[in-house]
C-alpha cells in the first residue's frame, strides 16, 4: 500500500519571486568572481586613482592585458559597479563604490572578501565526494588558503590589533610594554604576532602553526621587519607540551578549525600562567541555526564551514565543529577547559567575530 503525501498547493507568486531571487543569485555569484579577480590584480585600486579611463589606460596602469581588462570592465558595467561612457569609451569607478572595493578601504574592502569564494571552490569536488563517502579535505587542497587568510586577517589587525583589540584585555598594553611572554596558537602567516612584536619590543612572542607554508611566510615577515622578539614554530597545538609558560595567549580564528578543539583549549589553559589571559577571537553567531537567519553574511559563513573549516577538521579524524559553532558552544567548551571567567566583547571593525577574554579565575 502506498501512502499519499498531501502537498500544500503551490503559491505561484512565491515560486516566481524565488526564481527571480535565484537568477539574481547567479548574477551576484558571478560578480563576486569578477571582484575577486579585480582585487587580486589591483584593478579597483588603479581605477580609483583614475577619474574615467579607457580599457587600454587601465590595463597599462595595472600592468595586465587589455583584452582581459575590457571583458572584465564589460561585466562590471552591466553589473552597475563601474560607469561606462560609450562615446568616450571610458570606464569610471565611482568613489562610493571604491569605498568598498579598494585596499585603501582597509577592513571595509569587500573585494578582498570576494576572494574567499573561488578559494573555497577549489575544494568543491572533494566536498561533493565527502558527502557520499565521508572523510574530509586536507589543507593542501586549498592552494590559496594562506594567502587569502593572511590578507583578510591583516586588514582587521592592521587597523585594530594594537589600538583596539589588545586593550579589550584589561591592563594588557601596559603588561606588553613592560615585557611578558606571549603565544599565538594557529598563527597562520604570523602577521598578528609580528605586529605585536613590533609594537612591544620588551615582550617575547611565539607563533605556532602546523602549516610549513604559513610558518615560512611568518618567518619571512619577521626577518624582513628585523624582529628579534618574534619566533615561529612548526607545531601541532593539540599536542603542545608547555606548562605555566605564557602571560597572554591569543588564538585568532583558529579554534573552530581544530581537529580536537577541546584538547587545544585544555592545552592553552595548561600553558597559561595562573594570572594569564587567553584572548580567543572566533566567529560570532549562535550555536542554533534558527537564531542565525538574517545575520549578515550568515550564508557565507556556513559556506566557509561546509567547504573548509568543517572538512579540514574531519580530514584529520577530528570533530568537525564548523565555523558556526556559536557562542553557546564556545562558552561551554571554554568552561570545560578550565576558564572560570569569560567576557565576550565585540569591535566595530570586525563584526563577524566575537572576542572572548578568558581567565582561569
Ligand atoms: C583560519 S586560519 C587562521 C590563521 C591566523 N590565525 C589568522 O587569523 O590569519 C587557522 C590556522 O590554524 C592552523 N591550525 C589548524 N589546526 C592546527 C593545529 N592543530 N596545530 C597548529 N595549527 C593549526 C592552520 O594551519 C591555519 O593556519
Amino acid at each position: 500500500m502506498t501512502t499519499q503525501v498531501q502537498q500544500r498547493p503551490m503559491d505561484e507568486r512565491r515560486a516566481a519571486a524565488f526564481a527571480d531571487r535565484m537568477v539574481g543569485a547567479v548574477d551576484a555569484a558571478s560578480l563576486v568572481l569578477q571582484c575577486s579577480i579585480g582585487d587580486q590584480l589591483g584593478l579597483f585600486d588603479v581605477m580609483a586613482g583614475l577619474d574615467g579611463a579607457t580599457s587600454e589606460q587601465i590595463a597599462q596602469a595595472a600592468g595586465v592585458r587589455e583584452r582581459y581588462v575590457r571583458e572584465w570592465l564589460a561585466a562590471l558595467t552591466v553589473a552597475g559597479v563601474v560607469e561606462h561612457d560609450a562615446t568616450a569609451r571610458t570606464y569610471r569607478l565611482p568613489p562610493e563604490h571604491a569605498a568598498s572595493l579598494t585596499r585603501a578601504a582597509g577592513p571595509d574592502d569587500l573585494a578582498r572578501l570576494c576572494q574567499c569564494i573561488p578559494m573555497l571552490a577549489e575544494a568543491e569536488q572533494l566536498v561533493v565526494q565527502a558527502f557520499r563517502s565521508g572523510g574530509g579535505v586536507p589543507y593542501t587542497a586549498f592552494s590559496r588558503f594562506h594567502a587569502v587568510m593572511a590578507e583578510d586577517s591583516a586588514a582587521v589587525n592592521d587597523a585594530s590589533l594594537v589600538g583596539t583589540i589588545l586593550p579589550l584585555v584589561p591592563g594588557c598594553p601596559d603588561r606588553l610594554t613592560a615585557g611578558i611572554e606571549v603565544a599565538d596558537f594557529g598563527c597562520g602567516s604570523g602577521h598578528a604576532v609580528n605586529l605585536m612584536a613590533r609594537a612591544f619590543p620588551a615582550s617575547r612572542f611565539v607563533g605556532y602553526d602546523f602549516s610549513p607554508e604559513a610558518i615560512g611566510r611568518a618567518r619571512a615577515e619577521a626577518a624582513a621587519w628585523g624582529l628579534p622578539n618574534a619566533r615561529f614554530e612548526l607545531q601541532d597545538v593539540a599536542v603542545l607540551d608547555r606548562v605555566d609558560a605564557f602571560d597572554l595567549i591569543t588564538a585568532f580564528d583558529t579554534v573552530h578549525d581544530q581537529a580536537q578543539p577541546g584538547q587545544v583549549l585544555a592545552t592553552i589553559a595548561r600553558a597559561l600562567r595562573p594570572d594569564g589571559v587567553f584572548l580567543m577571537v572566533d566567529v560570532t553567531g549562535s550555536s542554533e541555526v534558527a537564531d542565525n537567519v538574517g545575520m549578515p553574511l550568515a550564508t557565507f559563513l556556513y559556506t566557509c564551514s561546509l567547504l573548509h573549516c568543517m572538512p579540514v577538521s574531519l580530514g584529520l579524524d577530528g570533530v568537525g565543529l564548523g565555523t558556526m559553532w556559536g557562542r553557546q558552544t564556545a562558552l561551554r567548551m571554554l568552561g570545560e577547559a578550565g576558564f572560570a571567567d569569560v567576557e565576550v566583547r565585540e569591535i566595530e571593525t570586525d563584526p563577524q567575530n566575537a572576542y572572548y577574554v578568558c581567565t582561569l579565575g
Side-chain angles (χ1 to χ4, degrees), residues 271-309:
L272 207 56
R273 291 184 173 144
D275 63 344
V277 181
F278 171 40
L279 175 64
M280 181 177 86
V281 181
D282 219 293
V283 176
T284 190
S286 169
S287 307
E288 290 297 328
V289 64
D291 298 338
N292 295 325
V293 176
M295 171 184 160
L297 290 175
T299 312
F300 168 71
L301 291 166
Y302 278 107
T303 303
C304 292
S305 191
L306 182 67
L307 282 145
H308 182 271
C309 305

Side-chain angles (χ1 to χ4, degrees), residues 181-204:
E181 300 292 332
V182 183
D184 185 31
F185 278 49
C187 65
S189 303
H191 190 61
V193 168
N194 290 331
L195 284 173
M196 292 190 284
R198 188 170 66 180
F200 301 104
S203 286
R204 290 154 302 279

Side-chain angles (χ1 to χ4, degrees), residues 1 60 92 130 149-150 160 180 185 240 291 304 311 318 323 334:
M1 198 180 88
Q60 197 178 19
R92 178 176 175 270
M149 187 68 229
S160 307
I180 55 173
F185 278 49
L240 179 72
D291 298 338
C304 292
T323 317
L334 286 165

Side-chain angles (χ1 to χ4, degrees), residues 132-153:
R132 298 197 174 103
S133 57
V137 172
Y139 274 94
T140 49
F142 304 88
S143 64
R144 299 202 64 245
F145 173 71
H146 288 294
V148 171
M149 187 68 229
E151 205 184 332
D152 198 44
S153 56

Side-chain angles (χ1 to χ4, degrees), residues 82-108:
V82 306
E83 296 165 354
H84 176 47
D85 181 332
T87 312
R89 306 194 67 71
T90 56
Y91 302 85
R92 178 176 175 270
L93 180 66
E96 297 81 6
H97 296 184
S100 297
L101 295 173
T102 55
R103 290 194 164 70
D108 297 330

Side-chain angles (χ1 to χ4, degrees), residues 234-256:
L234 196 59
Q235 170 73 46
D236 179 347
V237 291
V239 293
L240 179 72
D241 190 18
R242 298 293 309 269
V243 181
D244 284 355
F246 301 107
D247 304 289
L248 173 67
I249 296 179
T250 52
F252 297 97
D253 210 9
T254 186
V255 173
H256 68 256

